Amino acid sequence: MPTYWLPDLPYDYSALERAMTGEILELHHSKHHAAYVKGANDTLEQLAEARETGSFTPVAVVGLEKTLAFNLSGHVLHSLFWKNLSPDGGDRPIGELADALIEHFGSFGAFQRQMTTATTAVQGSGWGVLAWEPLGRRLIVEQIYDHHGNVGQGTIPLLVFDAWEHAYYLQYRNVRPDYVMRLWDVVDWQDVAERFATAVSSSRSVGM
Ligand code: MN
């Protein structure tokens, strides 16, 4: 039985058309995300085989661990991305998340500009991420390469923006900033706020 599976979207493929066409969302979910799920399961299977046969060469392990990190992280980030977005999204956060964004970034606008720039300025494929950093107990923006590079260890992603070309190219062509601008219109701030509350209350700093 596979460890990972493709989650259903909490809305129809056409539901996020304020930001992306149904065609893009269907391909993104049913093809790209599905491939990361399969990749993670296949890699776990190959690691199990290597344990059974004792065929653990350093080169094989390096390749398998890297492939596991890529596919597992792709699965995690896409699962989060779908939940972060909603046809009823947009506007701005309220409550404790809003206060924390002001505390750690100066203002909502300053956070939004940093997150937008982190996403649009990814070199190649990657993500812009708002994350909770448990050691400093603060919010930070991360710029992730592929799905797993340039990450602060132990950080908990709360809001993720996919900057891979497959997320926007059919609609926005090479104009990634227009796509990112529209993403803000479908952010489900209630989902982000719940993740923030859970991260703050459950995370124990690794240094304590
Ligand atoms: Mn993607």
Side-chain angles (χ1 to χ4, degrees), residues 2-202:
T3 301
Y4 303 107
W5 65 93
L6 183 67
D8 289 333
L9 292 184
Y11 35 71
D12 294 337
Y13 284 131
S14 61
L16 301 179
E17 285 196 333
R18 281 193 289 153
M20 64 192 76
T21 64
E23 182 188 23
I24 288 181
L25 186 51
E26 182 168 3
L27 284 168
H28 199 166
H29 174 257
S30 69
K31 302 296 183 190
H32 293 278
H33 186 172
Y36 303 130
V37 172
K38 183 176 188 308
N41 285 325
D42 288 354
T43 311
L44 283 182
E45 215 169 275
Q46 288 187 38
L47 283 161
E49 270 173 38
R51 284 194 298 275
E52 282 163 22
T53 60
S55 61
F56 264 131
T57 65
V59 169
V61 171
V62 167
L64 287 169
E65 299 294 4
K66 194 172 179 184
T67 304
L68 181 62
F70 175 83
N71 285 290
L72 175 57
S73 300
H75 179 32
V76 168
L77 286 171
H78 284 91
S79 299
L80 184 46
F81 188 45
W82 311 136
K83 293 288 182 72
N84 279 164
L85 305 180
S86 163
D88 304 317
D91 210 355
R92 289 181 175 206
I94 54 171
E96 288 180 12
L97 174 61
D99 295 343
L101 287 169
I102 292 168
E103 181 185 349
H104 298 296
F105 294 95
S107 66
F108 178 79
F111 153 70
Q112 196 173 36
R113 284 191 292 278
Q114 185 174 343
M115 179 82 172
T116 294
T117 307
T119 309
T120 55
V122 166
Q123 294 176 322
S125 300
W127 298 72
V129 175
L130 170 68
W132 174 250
E133 195 289 292
L135 187 58
R137 298 191 69 76
R138 59 176 299 121
L139 292 168
I140 59 170
V141 166
E142 300 179 302
Q143 188 183 51
I144 296 179
Y145 285 95
D146 291 333
H147 302 304
H148 55 309
N150 214 33
V151 182
Q153 294 298 329
T155 56
I156 301 167
L158 308 174
L159 172 65
V160 300
F161 281 177
D162 191 339
W164 284 57
E165 286 185 350
H166 67 225
Y168 64 89
Y169 213 88
L170 282 177
Q171 183 176 359
Y172 296 92
R173 308 291 287 267
N174 57 312
V175 192
R176 192 191 275 169
D178 284 358
Y179 153 71
V180 176
M181 202 168 64
R182 292 276 77 82
L183 272 186
W184 290 108
D185 295 339
V186 289
V187 171
D188 184 347
W189 286 111
Q190 193 177 329
D191 177 72
V192 182
E194 284 168 13
R195 292 175 192 283
F196 172 64
T198 303
V200 169
S201 65
S202 68

